[in-house]
Amino acid sequence: QVQLVESGGGLVKPGGSLRLSCAASGFTFSDYYINWIRQAPGKGLEWISVINPSGTNTNYADSVRGRFTISRDNARNSMFLQMNSLRADDTGVYYCGREYWGAFDIWGQGTMVTVSS
Amino acid sequence: DIVMTQSPDSLAVSLGERATINCRSSQSVLHSSNNRNYLTWYQQKPGQPPKPLIYWASTRESGVPDRFSGSGSGTDFTLTISSLQAEDVAVYYCQQYYSLPRTFGQGTKVELK
């Protein structure tokens, strides 16, 4: 079935780095924009990044621009988020989401990132 | 950035009664080229990712019960649950996809009275 599966979350110290992955199946991955959306514990949803189908165009929220890098490998049906200079306020569940005209029609189950000393 | 503001933050509704959630955008999300409102509603239950309910402000996602309906245009939108069921207890979010960055409302928690 159509699904996205995130991985790579964990506990990291402030200033550290982490690389998240999003594996897709059940659809033609290379046809779709894919996004990262995060949710701090007990809080709302925050869009953080998008990548176009070919991987040539990206966009970021101001809160992560310059620290996070989104990329994709269409041959492996996968998308990635390299997160550097992590801060405590980056803590939360990170979801990848398939884009439908800018809305998100398919979501993964999420991967938890905790930034703490 | 387009700011999305939902009201109320929470509401308690009896089983079978109507629930109404409002969402206001800081600028219009109606695209003149196709006369569509670039607004989505999501439902999120604890421990789960959000689930899309409504696209284009009023088009139900496949499989969503018809007790869920969306309305509004421009800057003011409403999600209505016509007859609340126990399984509808959740947090509901609106999101605009008119422009980047995509932005969400703060969420409305629906509980049983």
Side-chain angles (χ1 to χ4, degrees), chain B residues 20-97:
Chain B
T20 301
I21 301 168
N22 300 301
C23 174
R24 175 166 289 175
S25 57
S26 61
Q27 63 190 76
S28 176
V29 298
L30 174 63
H31 214 292
S32 56
S33 65
N34 57 13
N35 205 38
R36 283 184 157 184
N37 288 283
Y38 283 56
L39 183 113
T40 294
W41 288 96
Y42 300 93
Q43 175 193 66
Q44 187 179 32
K45 297 180 179 180
Q48 296 184 20
K51 170 189 171 184
L53 297 176
I54 304 277
Y55 297 110
W56 307 117
S58 59
T59 302
R60 260 190 311 276
E61 167 75 303
S62 174
V64 172
D66 60 7
R67 63 180 180 271
F68 291 92
S69 64
S71 63
S73 185
T75 61
D76 289 282
F77 301 91
T78 301
L79 175 70
T80 302
I81 309 172
S82 60
S83 176
L84 192 79
Q85 305 301 302
E87 61 265 30
D88 302 333
V89 169
V91 179
Y92 294 83
Y93 295 93
C94 60
Q95 178 233 327
Q96 65 80 20
Y97 47 106

Side-chain angles (χ1 to χ4, degrees), chain A residues 34-95:
Chain A
I34 308 290
N35 296 253
W36 287 100
I37 304 110
R38 69 183 179 185
Q39 187 168 35
K43 302 297 184 183
L45 299 163
E46 179 190 15
W47 172 85
I48 58 172
S49 188
V50 61
I51 188 165
N52 71 337
S54 64
T56 57
N57 196 16
T58 60
N59 209 295
Y60 300 91
D62 288 346
S63 57
V64 306
R65 186 175 290 114
R67 300 187 299 122
F68 291 10
T69 303
I70 192 172
S71 61
R72 67 191 293 163
D73 182 342
N74 286 343
R76 293 166 53 192
N77 290 336
S78 294
M79 187 197 46
F80 309 99
L81 187 68
Q82 177 66 43
M83 304 187 296
N84 298 331
S85 303
L86 283 161
R87 312 185 302 221
D89 63 357
D90 293 317
T91 293
V93 176
Y94 284 69
Y95 297 101

Side-chain angles (χ1 to χ4, degrees), chain A residues 19-43:
Chain A
R19 188 184 193 228
L20 305 184
S21 299
C22 171
S25 59
F27 64 98
T28 305
F29 180 70
S30 58
D31 284 349
Y32 289 87
Y33 288 74
I34 308 290
N35 296 253
W36 287 100
I37 304 110
R38 69 183 179 185
Q39 187 168 35
K43 302 297 184 183

